[in-house]
Amino acid sequence: MTEKDANQMWGGRFQMSPAEIMEVINASIDFDKRMAREDIAGSRAHAEMLAASGIITQDDRAAIDKGLVQIQSEIEAGTFQYSRALEDVHMNIEARLKEIVGEAAGRLHTARSRNDQVATDFRLYVRAQIDEFDAALAKLQFALAKKALVNAATVMPGFTHLQPAQPVTFGHHLLAYVEMFGRDRGRFQDARKRLNECPLGAAALAGTSFPIDREKTAKALGFDRPTANSLDSVSDRDFVIETLAAASLCAVHISRFSEEIVLWVTPQFGFLKLSDRFTTGSSIMPQKRNPDAAELCRAKVGRIAGAMQSLMMVIKGLPLAYSKDMQEDKEVAFDALDSLRVAVSALSGMVDDMEPVAENMQKAAGYGFSTATDLADWLVRELKMPFRQAHHVTGSIVAAAEKRGVDLGELPLKAMQEVEPSINDSVFSVLSVENSVASRTSYGGTAPHNVEKMAKRWIAQLDSEVAGG
Ligand code: ARG
């Protein structure tokens, strides 16, 4: 290439080639080639609109379209030659189009700029990711709900402060995550609604003097409408920040559940078993079975929330409208969205794979006087004691049991009566962990009957979504 036509796309007034470092700092092709499909879709819609509006001829449009279709298949076949000298995906594709169709290619860029082009491509990319997450999260919820149904009556300890609090069921615990991932899906959908406006036609920043039809391109690309302000259109990256915010919170949820998996598969807890498919061995300690997948799922939130922070810092303080700073939006976003995708599917796999060790859960559910609240409630119900007093009486009974080194249910009636003489032996019926969970029948409570109903409701709802997706 001669110095003069250093860049065939914008080199008209330039005398020298770019410095070598420019290929390193300026070129984005190494990562933005991931948006090639979106770029081609945007260009095809744009060309069609230009022809329909009489801005280019139908012959030129046909040539451009044919060329773009060919480029798409070259990319899919892996034969497309990307060049760093051509900076980004937009110019790589346009340059190739020129090789294929000649002069008509030069008409494609009428009434548009790379600024509205990249904003459009990235919205299309992020939108497709949101749709993938929705399907993947529905699958994860489905896996959780199915496991919850079989474990609707599997008693385990419920913790607060990671101290034994009250018995719950494993099914109930799993359904808590179904709720969380449901809210995550809602947040992605909210982001999608605001994202779904088309920036194409905002051109560089001010709009265009050509009689374009922005409704037409918006519709062709599946957007609800064109964006309303050309400056905002090319400078806005809210759509990806919002998506990364939804992704971060989702990753926080994944991290919390992963931490529980890590704890529960330890011999100390012994609540869960993960098969060889989701664990690894140690090269030195032959007995080890490490929950690597859960640990990595726990960690992914670091990059995902980091990406959101990173992008907000890039956008902060940028004057309107487009600045090249904004090219820094893609790598972090791609990495974060890839990470979330991997984490969601690894977690789905672990949920399918995990087997609760019901005996251990049941035994642990009784540790730490976990039915003390049931005893206090019994005093309120049967002896009409005010709850505060019942709390106090129960505390003294717990202390008596602790002193003898026995569980509440093993404490002789006489010992209880020393604290409160009107206690009778019907109290023992509420002290087992099974009775405890069975009694929690309030809406949203852990009673097996409730859990079964909820799990079935989720399964019915998710069944069609999962089958459809
Ligand atoms: N590669 C650029 C980006 O990712 C495309 C837009 C460049 N626009 C420009 N006027 N240089 O943001």
Side-chain angles (χ1 to χ4, degrees):
M1 163 187 326
T2 68
E3 299 251 307
K4 182 72 187 81
D5 49 39
N7 191 306
Q8 29 170 330
M9 300 294 163
W10 46 249
R13 61 161 297 202
F14 285 74
Q15 304 293 314
M16 290 189 282
S17 301
E20 253 173 63
I21 189 67
M22 284 299 276
E23 263 191 21
V24 180
I25 189 167
N26 196 39
S28 53
I29 187 61
D30 291 337
F31 49 87
D32 67 15
K33 63 181 171 202
R34 288 179 63 154
M35 303 192 308
R37 175 200 301 272
E38 288 77 13
D39 196 68
I40 290 169
S43 289
R44 293 183 71 189
H46 184 65
E48 194 183 339
M49 179 280 290
L50 289 177
S53 310
I55 300 166
I56 64 171
T57 65
Q58 285 297 348
D59 284 352
D60 282 343
R61 182 204 84 94
I64 289 169
D65 203 64
K66 208 165 147 240
L68 288 169
V69 170
Q70 180 183 328
I71 292 171
Q72 176 75 47
S73 47
E74 289 174 3
I75 289 169
E76 277 161 20
T79 56
F80 190 91
Q81 294 291 322
Y82 290 104
S83 142
R84 286 209 182 116
L86 290 164
E87 277 183 45
D88 58 25
V89 67
H90 323 293
M91 296 204 295
N92 268 271
I93 289 176
E94 197 185 318
R96 176 72 185 129
L97 187 64
K98 190 167 174 215
E99 285 173 8
I100 301 171
V101 310
E103 202 195 325
R107 302 193 191 282
L108 172 61
H109 213 54
T110 316
R112 87 171 178 189
S113 142
R114 275 188 291 156
N115 298 349
D116 58 340
Q117 198 178 347
V118 73
T120 305
D121 294 359
F122 204 20
R123 280 185 192 238
L124 289 172
Y125 183 90
V126 172
R127 187 179 72 187
Q129 292 286 303
I130 289 177
D131 293 344
E132 266 191 46
F133 287 137
D134 189 61
L137 288 170
K139 248 172 96 180
L140 173 57
Q141 285 183 300
F142 194 56
L144 286 162
K146 279 189 302 182
K147 192 120 292 186
L149 183 60
V150 258
N151 289 287
T154 307
V155 178
M156 68 174 286
F159 300 93
T160 59
H161 312 262
L162 199 58
Q163 298 290 324
Q166 293 172 350
V168 296
T169 72
F170 183 47
H172 197 52
H173 196 108
L174 294 174
L175 289 183
Y177 285 99
V178 175
E179 296 289 334
M180 287 181 237
F181 294 125
R183 291 195 295 275
D184 290 329
R185 291 177 67 194
R187 270 180 287 272
F188 279 121
Q189 287 313 312
D190 289 345
R192 192 189 196 284
K193 266 182 234 142
R194 275 181 295 278
L195 168 152
N196 210 28
E197 295 186 344
C198 186
L200 200 58
L205 77 166
T208 175
S209 56
F210 290 97
I212 58 171
D213 181 352
R214 294 193 57 208
E215 294 283 349
K216 188 174 166 67
T217 37
K219 198 164 159 230
L221 295 169
F223 288 107
D224 296 330
R225 63 191 77 84
T227 49
N229 179 296
S230 61
L231 291 168
D232 180 46
S233 306
V234 296
S235 78
D236 169 49
R237 290 296 180 273
D238 290 3
F239 62 93
V240 54
I241 295 175
E242 249 188 288
T243 302
L244 291 176
S248 298
L249 195 41
C250 182
V252 165
H253 296 149
I254 289 173
S255 187
R256 294 183 73 173
F257 191 31
S258 302
E259 164 66 358
E260 294 188 319
I261 296 172
V262 170
L263 283 174
W264 293 352
V265 297
T266 59
Q268 284 77 5
F269 270 85
F271 288 1
L272 275 190
K273 278 200 181 347
L274 278 179
S275 79
D276 295 352
R277 297 177 64 230
F278 286 93
T279 49
T280 62
S282 154
S283 53
I284 175 170
M285 297 165 283
Q287 87 286 6
K288 287 295 286 284
R289 181 192 273 283
N290 297 326
D292 293 37
E295 294 167 87
L296 290 163
C297 284
R298 182 172 62 183
K300 291 291 182 200
V301 64
R303 330 171 166 212
I304 298 169
M308 177 189 66
Q309 187 72 11
S310 158
L311 189 48
M312 285 209 278
M313 290 308 100
V314 168
I315 302 299
K316 170 195 170 296
L318 281 190
L320 297 185
Y322 177 84
S323 298
K324 194 64 176 253
D325 307 51
M326 294 167 73
Q327 180 168 288
E328 289 287 309
D329 58 359
K330 285 170 213 72
E331 282 169 290
V332 287
F334 290 155
D335 180 71
L337 299 173
D338 290 347
S339 300
L340 186 66
R341 201 173 33 248
V342 171
V344 172
S345 56
L347 191 58
S348 285
M350 281 188 281
V351 171
D352 280 334
D353 186 78
M354 62 174 59
E355 280 307 327
V357 187
E359 321 82 83
N360 291 350
M361 284 185 167
Q362 207 265 359
K363 217 160 93 206
Y367 293 163
F369 311 105
S370 64
T371 56
T373 315
D374 299 271
L375 172 55
D377 288 350
W378 183 90
L379 296 170
V380 170
R381 229 180 7 252
E382 303 299 322
L383 307 185
K384 310 291 174 230
M385 222 179 247
F387 182 78
R388 280 289 157 231
Q389 188 191 341
H391 185 284
H392 196 79
V393 168
T394 304
S396 306
I397 294 174
V398 166
E402 198 169 25
K403 211 162 129 203
R404 291 179 184 228
V406 297
D407 273 344
L408 276 180
E410 295 159 1
L411 190 67
L413 182 60
K414 238 180 93 239
M416 293 197 203
Q417 286 170 339
E418 276 164 27
V419 180
E420 171 50 59
S422 6
I423 295 181
N424 58 57
D425 67 359
S426 78
V427 73
F428 290 103
S429 68
V430 302
L431 296 180
S432 76
V433 292
E434 286 76 14
N435 288 341
S436 172
V437 294
S439 73
R440 299 290 192 278
T441 53
S442 56
Y443 180 73
T446 197
H449 180 68
N450 280 7
V451 174
E452 198 185 310
K453 226 166 99 184
M454 278 292 183
K456 282 184 176 159
R457 214 196 69 190
W458 275 114
I459 288 168
Q461 183 188 318
L462 292 163
D463 201 24
S464 54
E465 297 185 49
V466 172

